[in-house]
Amino acid sequence: MTMDSMTDTDLPPMAGKPRDLGPPIVVIQNVQKAFGSNHVLRDVSLTVRTGEVVVIAGRSGSGKSTLLRCIDHLETIDGGSITACGNLMGYRRDTGGKLIPLGDGKVARQRREMGMVFQSFNLFPHLSVLKNITLSPVKIMGESPAKAEAHARELLARVGLPDKADAYPAQLSGGQQQRVAIARALAMRPKVMLFDEPTSALDPEMISEVLDVMTDLSRQGMTMIVVTHEMGFARAAADRVLLMHGGEIVEEAPPEEFFTNPKSEHTRLFLSKIL
Amino acid sequence: MEFSWEHFFRFLFGEYMLTGVWTTLWLACVAMLLGCTLGVVVAFMKMSRYWAPRQFANLFIWVWRGTPLLVQMVIIYTVLPLFGLKLGVISSAILALSLHEAAYFAEIVRSGILSVNKGQTDASLALGMTWPQRMRYVILPQATRIIIPPLGNQFTLMIKTTSIASVISMEELFRRTQQLAQFEFRVLEAYLGAACWYLLMTTVWGEIQKRLEAHYDRPFGPLSDDDGKKPERPVTGDAAAQV
């Protein structure tokens, strides 16, 4: 199904969780993506509004991570378009409306509007926690080191790690590393946060510390697109839950409806396996 | 003829041999610096997405790794003048040694860069870094840690390999030793002296290398204990993801 024609009134109701959603901030239109002969995204469309939390679920290989990576243009797309924070991600239109790929520097500038958190944390192992967080604000955005450090310490407190500023990633547990990664992404003051299976690499006892930070973030009005299997988080924090299957969005509903009254057979099958 | 300690020490600390040691040392350093710089350039050419620089790098590495340094040096010194390019002994030695080094170092740099986890590129892209920023702040600092051990080995080799410059009459440690041995017909004493100097240079460098490695390893885990045993590193990054 596509959401191309979606207007405000078509948006799912926020049952029991009224939220003020702003204008669309991520608009995905008819995106196609193939790796060789493997068609991973088939005509995917999705509109995410400012302040909205969208959870994307699905089996591995369903295209959910690829979709997320396409939003940040970590993968190129073969068709359609993605607009995020007002930027046509990775491309510009020539006068005839054709899409022309942008150069490295221009795409880099587009990505600075969004934060991304990865399954494998990807902290910079040669830098302390503080330097991990301040690297981009100072070296790329030109913030003053003092201001960036103050902001970093504030963020570390927010993710519950106020005393880890001088530690190196190797000295932290997985859950701590992921929380630092979230702080690092937030340091760029992103308008949208993308989470790519943020808890899949964690031991069970560390999952909740990361989810708690994410839930807090959603309560503070951050726009979030989260690829995850954590249905508890979806229930608690999501405005909408999507299910991807075979490169398509096959279900899309507010959490209550998604869990209690799914329309798609795929969703029923997925829920029976995961819950 | 009996071994003469007197000759041995006279050679060992004599000005003639010491000058040779000094020549060997600066020749090795200059060739290494030039070779590594050129090697980095060749490495990036080989990783280029364009065909021409990639093929040039392949050709360069193929030729300079596939032929003996001895042949390269003689060609540069004696054959190039036939084509109008006349280089002196010192320039020829430096040129041959550094081109030879560049071919090896290019592959070391390339494999160092490629061995940095792909996730590091993802993370730096997502933080809005351009290619030069990713290289400078994220990829190269991590590649350095991987490059330093083989780089150190290359320098140890370089200290010893400079002796090949003796064939084009460069007055480094080996050639001076040969001359000493011939002047006074004290072969064993002279070469034993040279061996001592080579060993001293490579040993001192080995110590420096150890410290460099420890320095670049520091963020990745606690420093070595006094007994020299390394505590196991905590699991991090992708390694953790795969557990």
Side-chain angles (χ1 to χ4, degrees), chain A residues 50-134:
Chain A
T50 308
E52 193 175 12
V53 176
V54 173
V55 164
I56 305 176
R59 311 196 314 208
S60 60
S62 61
K64 54 194 196 307
S65 279
T66 305
L67 178 63
L68 200 71
R69 291 172 63 83
C70 285
I71 297 174
D72 214 11
H73 201 65
L74 295 179
E75 306 283 354
T76 56
I77 55 177
D78 302 329
S81 69
I82 296 175
T83 308
C85 309
N87 299 313
L88 183 60
M89 291 304 296
Y91 302 91
R92 66 182 172 82
R93 277 187 207 282
D94 68 5
T95 42
K98 242 186 87 194
L99 294 181
I100 314 288
L102 287 177
D104 179 60
K106 292 231 168 65
V107 185
R109 229 159 288 144
Q110 295 182 328
R111 291 191 185 107
R112 291 170 198 166
E113 311 259 346
M114 285 181 280
M116 188 154 179
V117 174
F118 300 90
Q119 178 178 352
S120 49
F121 329 137
N122 298 344
L123 291 181
F124 304 135
H126 60 300
L127 299 177
S128 70
V129 164
L130 192 69
K131 292 270 184 229
N132 260 277
I133 300 174
T134 59

Coordinates of all heavy atoms in Angstrom, one line a residue, chain A residues 50-134:
Chain A
T50 N 6.5 15.7 11.7 CA 7.4 16.2 12.8 C 6.8 15.8 14.2 O 5.6 16.0 14.4 CB 7.4 17.8 12.7 OG1 7.8 18.1 11.4 CG2 8.5 18.3 13.7
G51 N 7.6 15.2 15.0 CA 7.2 14.8 16.3 C 6.7 13.4 16.4 O 6.4 12.8 17.4
E52 N 6.5 12.8 15.2 CA 6.0 11.4 15.1 C 7.0 10.4 15.4 O 8.2 10.5 15.1 CB 5.3 11.2 13.8 CG 4.4 10.0 13.7 CD 3.8 9.8 12.3 OE1 4.1 10.5 11.4 OE2 2.8 9.0 12.3
V53 N 6.6 9.3 16.1 CA 7.5 8.1 16.3 C 6.9 6.9 15.5 O 5.8 6.5 15.7 CB 7.5 7.7 17.8 CG1 8.4 6.5 18.0 CG2 8.1 8.9 18.6
V54 N 7.7 6.5 14.5 CA 7.2 5.4 13.6 C 8.1 4.2 13.9 O 9.4 4.3 13.8 CB 7.3 5.8 12.1 CG1 7.0 4.6 11.2 CG2 6.3 7.0 11.9
V55 N 7.5 3.1 14.2 CA 8.3 1.9 14.4 C 8.1 1.0 13.1 O 7.0 0.8 12.7 CB 7.9 1.1 15.7 CG1 8.4 -0.3 15.6 CG2 8.4 1.8 16.9
I56 N 9.2 0.5 12.6 CA 9.2 -0.4 11.4 C 9.6 -1.8 11.9 O 10.7 -1.9 12.4 CB 10.1 0.1 10.3 CG1 9.7 1.6 9.9 CG2 9.9 -0.8 9.1 CD1 10.6 2.2 8.9
A57 N 8.7 -2.7 11.7 CA 9.0 -4.1 12.1 C 9.1 -5.0 10.9 O 8.7 -4.5 9.8 CB 8.0 -4.6 13.1
G58 N 9.5 -6.2 11.0 CA 9.5 -7.1 9.9 C 10.7 -8.1 10.0 O 11.6 -7.9 10.8
R59 N 10.5 -9.2 9.3 CA 11.6 -10.2 9.4 C 12.9 -9.7 8.8 O 12.8 -8.7 8.1 CB 11.2 -11.4 8.6 CG 9.8 -12.0 8.8 CD 9.7 -13.4 8.3 NE 10.2 -13.5 6.9 CZ 9.8 -14.4 6.1 NH1 8.8 -15.2 6.4 NH2 10.3 -14.5 4.9
S60 N 14.0 -10.3 9.1 CA 15.2 -9.9 8.4 C 15.1 -10.2 6.9 O 14.5 -11.2 6.5 CB 16.4 -10.6 9.0 OG 16.3 -12.0 8.8
G61 N 15.6 -9.2 6.1 CA 15.4 -9.4 4.7 C 14.2 -8.7 4.2 O 14.0 -8.8 2.9
S62 N 13.4 -8.1 5.0 CA 12.1 -7.5 4.6 C 12.4 -6.1 4.0 O 11.5 -5.6 3.4 CB 11.1 -7.4 5.7 OG 11.7 -6.6 6.7
G63 N 13.6 -5.6 4.1 CA 13.9 -4.3 3.6 C 13.8 -3.2 4.5 O 14.1 -2.0 4.2
K64 N 13.6 -3.4 5.8 CA 13.3 -2.3 6.8 C 14.6 -1.5 7.0 O 14.6 -0.3 7.1 CB 12.7 -2.9 8.1 CG 13.5 -4.0 8.7 CD 12.6 -4.7 9.8 CE 13.4 -5.5 10.8 NZ 14.3 -6.5 10.1
S65 N 15.7 -2.3 7.2 CA 17.0 -1.5 7.4 C 17.4 -0.8 6.2 O 17.9 0.3 6.3 CB 18.1 -2.5 7.9 OG 18.0 -2.8 9.2
T66 N 17.2 -1.4 5.1 CA 17.6 -0.7 3.8 C 16.8 0.6 3.6 O 17.4 1.6 3.3 CB 17.3 -1.6 2.6 OG1 18.0 -2.9 2.8 CG2 17.8 -1.0 1.3
L67 N 15.5 0.5 4.0 CA 14.7 1.7 3.9 C 15.3 2.8 4.8 O 15.4 4.0 4.3 CB 13.2 1.4 4.3 CG 12.3 2.6 4.2 CD1 12.1 3.1 2.8 CD2 10.9 2.2 4.8
L68 N 15.6 2.4 6.0 CA 16.2 3.4 6.9 C 17.5 4.0 6.4 O 17.7 5.2 6.5 CB 16.4 2.7 8.3 CG 16.5 3.7 9.5 CD1 15.1 4.3 9.8 CD2 17.0 3.0 10.7
R69 N 18.3 3.2 5.9 CA 19.6 3.6 5.3 C 19.4 4.5 4.1 O 20.2 5.4 3.9 CB 20.5 2.4 5.0 CG 21.0 1.7 6.3 CD 21.7 0.4 5.9 NE 23.0 0.7 5.2 CZ 24.1 1.0 5.7 NH1 24.2 1.1 7.0 NH2 25.2 1.2 5.0
C70 N 18.4 4.2 3.3 CA 18.1 5.1 2.2 C 17.7 6.5 2.6 O 18.0 7.5 2.0 CB 17.0 4.5 1.3 SG 17.5 3.1 0.4
I71 N 17.0 6.6 3.8 CA 16.6 7.9 4.2 C 17.8 8.8 4.5 O 17.8 10.0 4.2 CB 15.7 7.8 5.5 CG1 14.4 7.0 5.2 CG2 15.4 9.2 6.1 CD1 13.5 6.7 6.4
D72 N 18.8 8.2 5.1 CA 20.1 9.0 5.3 C 21.0 8.9 4.1 O 22.2 9.3 4.2 CB 20.8 8.4 6.6 CG 21.5 9.5 7.4 OD1 21.2 10.6 7.1 OD2 22.3 9.1 8.3
H73 N 20.5 8.4 3.0 CA 21.3 8.2 1.8 C 22.6 7.4 2.0 O 23.7 7.7 1.4 CB 21.6 9.5 1.1 CG 22.0 9.4 -0.3 ND1 21.1 8.9 -1.3 CD2 23.1 9.6 -1.0 CE1 21.7 8.9 -2.4 NE2 22.9 9.3 -2.3
L74 N 22.6 6.5 3.0 CA 23.7 5.6 3.1 C 23.7 4.5 2.0 O 24.6 3.8 1.8 CB 23.7 4.9 4.5 CG 24.0 5.9 5.7 CD1 23.9 5.1 7.0 CD2 25.3 6.6 5.5
E75 N 22.5 4.4 1.4 CA 22.3 3.6 0.2 C 21.7 4.5 -0.9 O 20.9 5.3 -0.5 CB 21.3 2.4 0.5 CG 21.7 1.5 1.6 CD 22.8 0.5 1.3 OE1 23.2 0.5 0.2 OE2 23.2 -0.1 2.3
T76 N 22.1 4.3 -2.1 CA 21.5 5.0 -3.2 C 20.1 4.4 -3.5 O 19.9 3.2 -3.1 CB 22.3 5.0 -4.5 OG1 22.5 3.6 -4.8 CG2 23.6 5.7 -4.2
I77 N 19.2 5.1 -4.1 CA 17.9 4.5 -4.5 C 17.9 4.4 -6.0 O 18.5 5.1 -6.7 CB 16.7 5.3 -3.9 CG1 16.8 6.7 -4.3 CG2 16.7 5.1 -2.4 CD1 15.6 7.5 -3.9
D78 N 17.1 3.4 -6.5 CA 17.0 3.2 -7.9 C 15.8 3.8 -8.5 O 15.6 3.9 -9.8 CB 16.9 1.7 -8.2 CG 18.2 1.0 -7.7 OD1 19.2 1.6 -7.6 OD2 18.0 -0.2 -7.3
G79 N 14.8 4.3 -7.7 CA 13.7 4.9 -8.2 C 12.9 5.6 -7.1 O 13.1 5.3 -6.0
G80 N 12.0 6.6 -7.5 CA 11.3 7.3 -6.5 C 12.2 8.4 -5.9 O 13.2 8.8 -6.4
S81 N 11.7 9.0 -4.7 CA 12.5 10.0 -4.1 C 12.3 10.0 -2.6 O 11.2 9.5 -2.1 CB 12.1 11.4 -4.7 OG 10.8 11.7 -4.3
I82 N 13.2 10.6 -1.9 CA 13.1 10.7 -0.4 C 13.4 12.2 -0.1 O 14.5 12.7 -0.4 CB 14.1 9.8 0.3 CG1 13.7 8.3 0.0 CG2 14.0 10.1 1.8 CD1 14.7 7.3 0.6
T83 N 12.4 12.8 0.6 CA 12.7 14.2 1.0 C 12.7 14.2 2.6 O 11.8 13.6 3.2 CB 11.6 15.1 0.6 OG1 11.4 15.0 -0.8 CG2 11.9 16.6 0.9
A84 N 13.8 14.7 3.1 CA 13.9 14.7 4.6 C 14.4 16.1 5.0 O 15.4 16.6 4.5 CB 14.9 13.6 5.0
C85 N 13.7 16.6 6.0 CA 14.1 18.0 6.5 C 14.2 19.0 5.4 O 15.1 19.8 5.4 CB 15.4 17.9 7.3 SG 15.4 16.7 8.6
G86 N 13.4 18.8 4.4 CA 13.4 19.8 3.3 C 14.4 19.5 2.2 O 14.5 20.2 1.2
N87 N 15.2 18.5 2.4 CA 16.2 18.1 1.4 C 15.8 16.9 0.5 O 15.3 15.9 1.1 CB 17.6 17.8 2.0 CG 18.1 19.0 2.8 OD1 18.1 20.1 2.3 ND2 18.6 18.7 4.0
L88 N 16.0 17.0 -0.7 CA 15.8 15.8 -1.6 C 17.1 15.0 -1.4 O 18.2 15.4 -1.9 CB 15.7 16.3 -3.0 CG 15.4 15.2 -4.1 CD1 14.1 14.4 -3.8 CD2 15.3 15.8 -5.5
M89 N 17.0 13.9 -0.6 CA 18.2 13.2 -0.2 C 19.0 12.6 -1.3 O 18.6 11.7 -2.0 CB 17.9 12.1 0.9 CG 17.3 12.6 2.2 SD 18.4 13.8 3.0 CE 19.9 12.7 3.4
G90 N 20.3 13.1 -1.4 CA 21.2 12.5 -2.3 C 21.2 13.0 -3.8 O 22.0 12.6 -4.6
Y91 N 20.1 13.8 -4.1 CA 20.0 14.2 -5.5 C 19.5 15.6 -5.6 O 19.1 16.2 -4.6 CB 18.9 13.3 -6.1 CG 19.2 11.8 -6.1 CD1 18.8 11.0 -5.0 CD2 20.0 11.2 -7.1 CE1 19.1 9.7 -5.0 CE2 20.3 9.9 -7.1 CZ 19.8 9.1 -6.0 OH 20.2 7.8 -5.9
R92 N 19.6 16.2 -6.8 CA 19.0 17.4 -7.1 C 18.2 17.2 -8.4 O 18.5 16.3 -9.1 CB 20.0 18.5 -7.2 CG 21.0 18.4 -8.4 CD 22.0 19.5 -8.5 NE 23.0 19.2 -9.5 CZ 22.8 19.4 -10.8 NH1 21.7 20.0 -11.2 NH2 23.8 19.1 -11.6
R93 N 17.3 18.1 -8.6 CA 16.5 18.0 -9.8 C 17.0 19.0 -10.8 O 17.3 20.1 -10.5 CB 15.0 18.3 -9.6 CG 14.2 17.1 -9.0 CD 12.8 17.5 -8.9 NE 12.1 16.7 -7.9 CZ 11.8 15.4 -8.0 NH1 12.0 14.8 -9.2 NH2 11.2 14.8 -7.0
D94 N 17.2 18.5 -12.1 CA 17.6 19.5 -13.1 C 16.4 20.1 -13.6 O 15.3 19.9 -13.1 CB 18.4 18.8 -14.2 CG 17.6 17.8 -15.1 OD1 16.4 17.7 -14.8 OD2 18.2 17.2 -15.9
T95 N 16.5 21.0 -14.6 CA 15.3 21.9 -15.0 C 14.2 21.0 -15.5 O 13.0 21.3 -15.4 CB 15.8 22.9 -16.0 OG1 16.7 22.2 -17.0 CG2 16.4 24.1 -15.4
G96 N 14.6 19.8 -16.1 CA 13.5 18.9 -16.6 C 12.9 18.0 -15.6 O 12.1 17.2 -15.9
G97 N 13.4 18.2 -14.3 CA 12.8 17.3 -13.2 C 13.5 16.0 -13.0 O 13.2 15.2 -12.2
K98 N 14.6 15.8 -13.8 CA 15.4 14.6 -13.7 C 16.2 14.6 -12.4 O 16.7 15.7 -12.0 CB 16.3 14.4 -14.9 CG 15.9 13.1 -15.7 CD 16.9 12.9 -16.8 CE 18.1 12.1 -16.3 NZ 19.3 12.1 -17.2
L99 N 16.5 13.5 -11.8 CA 17.3 13.5 -10.6 C 18.8 13.3 -10.9 O 19.1 12.4 -11.7 CB 16.8 12.3 -9.7 CG 15.4 12.4 -9.1 CD1 15.1 11.2 -8.2 CD2 15.3 13.7 -8.3
I100 N 19.6 14.2 -10.4 CA 21.0 14.2 -10.6 C 21.7 13.9 -9.2 O 21.4 14.6 -8.3 CB 21.6 15.5 -11.1 CG1 20.7 16.1 -12.2 CG2 23.0 15.4 -11.5 CD1 20.8 15.4 -13.6
P101 N 22.6 12.9 -9.2 CA 23.2 12.6 -7.9 C 24.0 13.8 -7.4 O 24.7 14.5 -8.2 CB 24.1 11.4 -8.2 CG 23.6 10.8 -9.5 CD 23.0 12.0 -10.2
L102 N 24.0 14.1 -6.1 CA 24.8 15.2 -5.5 C 26.2 14.7 -5.2 O 26.4 13.5 -5.0 CB 24.1 15.6 -4.2 CG 22.8 16.4 -4.3 CD1 22.3 16.8 -3.0 CD2 23.1 17.7 -5.1
G103 N 27.1 15.6 -5.1 CA 28.5 15.3 -4.7 C 28.5 15.0 -3.2 O 27.6 15.3 -2.4
D104 N 29.6 14.4 -2.8 CA 29.9 13.9 -1.4 C 29.6 15.0 -0.4 O 28.9 14.8 0.6 CB 31.4 13.5 -1.3 CG 31.8 13.0 0.1 OD1 31.1 12.1 0.5 OD2 32.7 13.6 0.6
G105 N 30.1 16.2 -0.6 CA 30.0 17.3 0.3 C 28.6 17.8 0.5 O 28.1 18.1 1.6
K106 N 27.8 17.8 -0.6 CA 26.4 18.2 -0.5 C 25.6 17.2 0.3 O 24.7 17.6 1.1 CB 25.8 18.4 -1.9 CG 26.5 19.6 -2.7 CD 25.4 20.5 -3.2 CE 25.9 21.8 -3.7 NZ 26.8 21.6 -4.9
V107 N 25.8 15.9 0.0 CA 25.1 14.9 0.8 C 25.4 15.0 2.2 O 24.6 14.8 3.1 CB 25.4 13.5 0.2 CG1 24.5 12.4 0.9 CG2 25.1 13.4 -1.3
A108 N 26.7 15.2 2.5 CA 27.2 15.3 3.9 C 26.4 16.4 4.6 O 25.9 16.2 5.8 CB 28.7 15.5 4.0
R109 N 26.2 17.5 4.0 CA 25.5 18.6 4.6 C 24.0 18.2 4.9 O 23.4 18.5 5.9 CB 25.5 19.8 3.7 CG 25.9 21.1 4.4 CD 26.5 22.1 3.5 NE 27.8 21.8 3.0 CZ 28.3 22.0 1.8 NH1 27.5 22.6 0.9 NH2 29.5 21.7 1.5
Q110 N 23.4 17.4 3.9 CA 22.0 17.0 4.1 C 21.9 16.1 5.4 O 21.0 16.2 6.1 CB 21.5 16.2 2.9 CG 21.4 17.1 1.7 CD 20.9 16.3 0.5 OE1 21.1 15.1 0.4 NE2 20.2 16.9 -0.4
R111 N 22.9 15.2 5.5 CA 22.9 14.2 6.6 C 23.0 14.9 8.0 O 22.6 14.3 9.0 CB 24.0 13.2 6.4 CG 23.8 12.3 5.3 CD 24.8 11.1 5.4 NE 24.8 10.3 4.2 CZ 25.7 10.3 3.2 NH1 26.8 11.0 3.4 NH2 25.6 9.5 2.2
R112 N 23.6 16.1 8.0 CA 23.7 16.7 9.3 C 22.4 17.1 10.0 O 22.4 17.4 11.2 CB 24.6 18.0 9.2 CG 26.0 17.6 8.8 CD 26.9 18.8 8.4 NE 28.1 18.3 7.7 CZ 28.9 19.1 7.0 NH1 28.7 20.4 6.9 NH2 29.9 18.5 6.4
E113 N 21.3 17.1 9.2 CA 20.0 17.4 9.8 C 19.4 16.2 10.6 O 18.4 16.3 11.3 CB 19.1 17.8 8.7 CG 19.6 18.8 7.7 CD 19.1 20.2 8.0 OE1 18.2 20.3 8.8 OE2 19.7 21.2 7.5
M114 N 20.0 15.0 10.3 CA 19.4 13.8 10.9 C 20.5 13.1 11.7 O 21.7 13.2 11.5 CB 19.0 12.8 9.8 CG 17.7 13.3 9.2 SD 17.1 12.1 7.9 CE 18.2 12.6 6.6
G115 N 20.0 12.3 12.7 CA 20.9 11.5 13.5 C 20.6 10.0 13.2 O 19.5 9.7 12.9
M116 N 21.7 9.2 13.3 CA 21.4 7.8 13.1 C 22.1 7.0 14.1 O 23.3 7.2 14.5 CB 21.8 7.4 11.7 CG 21.4 6.0 11.3 SD 21.2 5.8 9.5 CE 20.8 4.1 9.4
V117 N 21.4 5.9 14.6 CA 22.0 5.0 15.6 C 22.0 3.6 15.0 O 21.0 3.2 14.4 CB 21.1 5.1 16.9 CG1 21.6 4.0 17.9 CG2 21.2 6.4 17.5
F118 N 23.1 2.9 15.1 CA 23.3 1.6 14.4 C 23.2 0.4 15.4 O 23.5 0.6 16.5 CB 24.6 1.6 13.7 CG 24.8 2.7 12.7 CD1 25.3 3.9 13.0 CD2 24.4 2.5 11.4 CE1 25.5 5.0 12.1 CE2 24.5 3.5 10.4 CZ 25.1 4.7 10.8
Q119 N 22.9 -0.7 14.8 CA 22.9 -1.9 15.5 C 24.2 -2.2 16.3 O 24.2 -2.6 17.4 CB 22.5 -3.1 14.6 CG 22.5 -4.4 15.3 CD 22.1 -5.5 14.3 OE1 21.8 -5.3 13.2 NE2 22.2 -6.8 14.8
S120 N 25.3 -1.9 15.6 CA 26.6 -2.3 16.2 C 27.3 -1.0 16.8 O 28.5 -1.0 16.8 CB 27.5 -2.9 15.1 OG 27.5 -2.2 13.9
F121 N 26.5 -0.1 17.2 CA 27.0 1.1 17.9 C 27.9 2.0 17.0 O 27.7 3.2 16.9 CB 27.7 0.8 19.2 CG 27.2 -0.4 19.9 CD1 28.1 -1.3 20.5 CD2 25.8 -0.7 20.0 CE1 27.6 -2.4 21.1 CE2 25.4 -1.8 20.6 CZ 26.3 -2.7 21.2
N122 N 29.0 1.4 16.5 CA 29.9 2.1 15.6 C 30.5 3.4 16.3 O 30.7 4.4 15.7 CB 29.2 2.5 14.3 CG 28.8 1.3 13.5 OD1 29.2 0.2 13.8 ND2 28.0 1.5 12.5
L123 N 30.8 3.3 17.6 CA 31.5 4.4 18.2 C 32.9 4.4 17.7 O 33.4 3.4 17.2 CB 31.5 4.2 19.8 CG 30.2 4.4 20.5 CD1 30.4 4.2 22.0 CD2 29.6 5.7 20.2
F124 N 33.6 5.5 17.7 CA 35.0 5.6 17.2 C 35.9 5.1 18.4 O 36.1 5.8 19.4 CB 35.3 7.1 16.9 CG 34.3 7.6 15.8 CD1 33.8 8.9 16.0 CD2 34.0 6.9 14.7 CE1 32.9 9.4 15.0 CE2 33.1 7.4 13.8 CZ 32.6 8.7 13.9
P125 N 36.5 3.9 18.2 CA 37.2 3.3 19.3 C 38.5 4.1 19.7 O 39.0 3.9 20.8 CB 37.6 1.9 18.7 CG 37.5 2.1 17.3 CD 36.5 3.1 17.0
H126 N 39.0 4.9 18.8 CA 40.2 5.6 19.2 C 40.0 6.9 19.9 O 40.9 7.6 20.3 CB 41.0 5.9 17.9 CG 40.3 6.8 16.9 ND1 39.1 6.4 16.3 CD2 40.6 8.0 16.4 CE1 38.7 7.3 15.5 NE2 39.6 8.3 15.5
L127 N 38.7 7.3 20.1 CA 38.4 8.5 20.8 C 37.6 8.3 22.1 O 36.9 7.3 22.2 CB 37.5 9.4 19.9 CG 38.1 9.8 18.6 CD1 37.1 10.6 17.7 CD2 39.4 10.7 18.8
S128 N 37.8 9.1 23.1 CA 37.1 9.0 24.3 C 35.6 9.3 24.0 O 35.3 9.8 23.0 CB 37.6 10.0 25.3 OG 37.3 11.3 24.9
V129 N 34.8 8.9 25.0 CA 33.4 9.2 24.9 C 33.1 10.6 24.6 O 32.3 10.9 23.7 CB 32.7 8.7 26.2 CG1 31.3 9.3 26.3 CG2 32.6 7.2 26.3
L130 N 33.7 11.5 25.3 CA 33.5 12.9 25.1 C 33.9 13.3 23.7 O 33.2 14.1 23.0 CB 34.3 13.7 26.1 CG 34.0 15.2 26.2 CD1 32.6 15.4 26.8 CD2 35.0 16.0 27.0
K131 N 35.0 12.9 23.2 CA 35.5 13.2 21.9 C 34.6 12.6 20.8 O 34.4 13.2 19.7 CB 36.9 12.8 21.6 CG 38.0 13.5 22.5 CD 38.5 14.7 21.7 CE 39.6 15.4 22.5 NZ 39.4 16.8 22.7
N132 N 34.1 11.4 21.1 CA 33.1 10.8 20.1 C 32.0 11.8 19.9 O 31.5 11.9 18.8 CB 32.6 9.5 20.7 CG 33.3 8.3 20.1 OD1 32.9 7.8 19.0 ND2 34.3 7.8 20.8
I133 N 31.5 12.4 21.0 CA 30.3 13.2 20.9 C 30.6 14.6 20.3 O 29.8 15.1 19.6 CB 29.7 13.3 22.3 CG1 29.3 11.9 22.9 CG2 28.4 14.2 22.3 CD1 28.8 11.9 24.3
T134 N 31.8 15.1 20.7 CA 32.1 16.5 20.2 C 32.7 16.6 18.9 O 32.8 17.6 18.3 CB 33.0 17.2 21.3 OG1 34.2 16.5 21.4 CG2 32.3 17.4 22.6

